[in-house]
Amino acid sequence: MKKNIITILLIISGFICTFAENRKSYYTLELTEVECNEIPANGSINNELQMGLSVNSFQDSIIGIIFEYEATHINFTLTNSAKKTLKINWNDMVLFMEGASHPVFHAGVKMSERCEEKASTSVMKGLSHSDMIIPCDMVTWWEYSGRFLYEFLLKSQSSSIPVKILFPIELNNQTYEYIFTFNAKYNAGKVKVVMVNGGMWEYVEVK
């Protein structure tokens, strides 16, 4: 009986890996607008493709940030361009896509605590912090595989999918609510997806 269960689990796991690695669709994002409640977000926006995958960046007098969209999460590197330490407010950060808002968590947060209150991340002036944005409600425990499963962020096959990130920054006792607006595009080309960090999926290179 145990051998049969193990065999079934191996088949299912193999099917998942095969599906992911042969996935023929992917998404590219274009950063189209940046808003901020406290200051005119009149910095510079840059969009480019690296190995066929989107890299989006923004720079103003407070922050410099680079986003890299992945299948199950969004990687970013934030640089503090201000003259004092700033903080990332994870509790108020929101990812909006396909008509729904999602609270998020980030690297280093225990899965059992991903929906609870989170400590801010401090970034000293002139330094950078790399992390990821993961929707709290798009991760589920799969008992049969003994691990968490991360849903792919986007599912629509549209050429124009609005994606927004509310990214609150605390500086000098003020909260700067940056809103990054992206246009996501479905691509039917070939791309390989590999598993990282025990269940998340990342794009490799578009072929």
Side-chain angles (χ1 to χ4, degrees):
M1 183 65 179
K2 289 184 178 180
K3 289 184 178 180
N4 291 336
I5 293 175
I6 292 173
T7 301
I8 292 172
L9 292 178
L10 289 174
I11 292 173
I12 294 174
S13 298
F15 172 77
I16 293 174
C17 292
T18 300
F19 168 78
E21 291 188 355
N22 289 292
R23 185 175 173 83
K24 295 184 178 181
S25 61
Y26 65 100
Y27 297 86
T28 52
L29 268 63
E30 179 186 7
L31 180 58
T32 58
E33 184 181 13
V34 181
E35 304 170 74
C36 185
N37 63 321
E38 290 292 340
I39 58 173
N42 56 358
S44 59
I45 293 175
N46 185 58
N47 296 292
E48 59 182 283
L49 294 177
Q50 294 183 6
M51 296 188 296
L53 303 174
S54 56
V55 178
N56 317 106
S57 61
F58 172 78
Q59 176 72 58
D60 68 4
S61 60
I62 296 178
I63 63 169
I65 191 164
I66 300 172
F67 294 100
E68 295 183 11
Y69 178 85
E70 300 293 351
T72 55
H73 57 284
I74 299 175
N75 291 327
F76 72 88
T77 297
L78 175 76
T79 299
N80 183 353
S81 302
K83 297 180 180 180
K84 292 185 179 181
T85 297
L86 61 75
K87 294 183 179 181
I88 302 172
N89 181 346
W90 293 102
N91 294 311
D92 293 336
M93 189 178 295
V94 175
L95 175 60
F96 176 88
M97 53 190 181
E98 296 186 328
S101 295
H102 305 268
V104 304
F105 69 107
H106 61 104
V109 174
K110 293 181 179 180
M111 296 301 291
S112 59
E113 300 175 356
R114 68 186 186 278
C115 297
E116 299 178 6
E117 187 171 344
K118 304 165 191 69
S120 299
T121 298
S122 296
V123 185
M124 296 174 61
K125 65 177 182 178
L127 299 184
S128 299
H129 173 74
S130 295
D131 215 316
M132 57 184 64
I133 299 171
I134 316 163
C136 296
D137 54 352
M138 297 183 72
V139 185
T140 55
W141 174 254
W142 196 27
E143 184 177 355
Y144 293 104
S145 66
R147 68 184 179 202
F148 285 93
L149 294 181
Y150 295 73
E151 293 183 35
F152 282 12
L153 296 182
L154 297 172
K155 302 173 180 64
S156 171
Q157 295 187 8
S158 171
S159 61
S160 181
I161 309 166
V163 175
K164 291 178 179 286
I165 301 174
L166 171 59
F167 201 111
I169 296 292
E170 297 174 358
L171 176 67
N172 294 330
N173 297 317
Q174 287 184 300
T175 299
Y176 296 83
E177 293 185 343
Y178 283 90
I179 300 177
F180 297 93
T181 300
F182 302 84
N183 180 58
K185 178 183 178 182
Y186 171 83
N187 298 276
K190 295 181 179 180
V191 62
K192 183 179 179 181
V193 183
V194 295
M195 182 178 286
V196 297
N197 298 328
M200 289 183 287
W201 297 99
E202 288 194 349
Y203 296 130
V204 185
E205 181 178 358
V206 179
K207 297 181 179 180

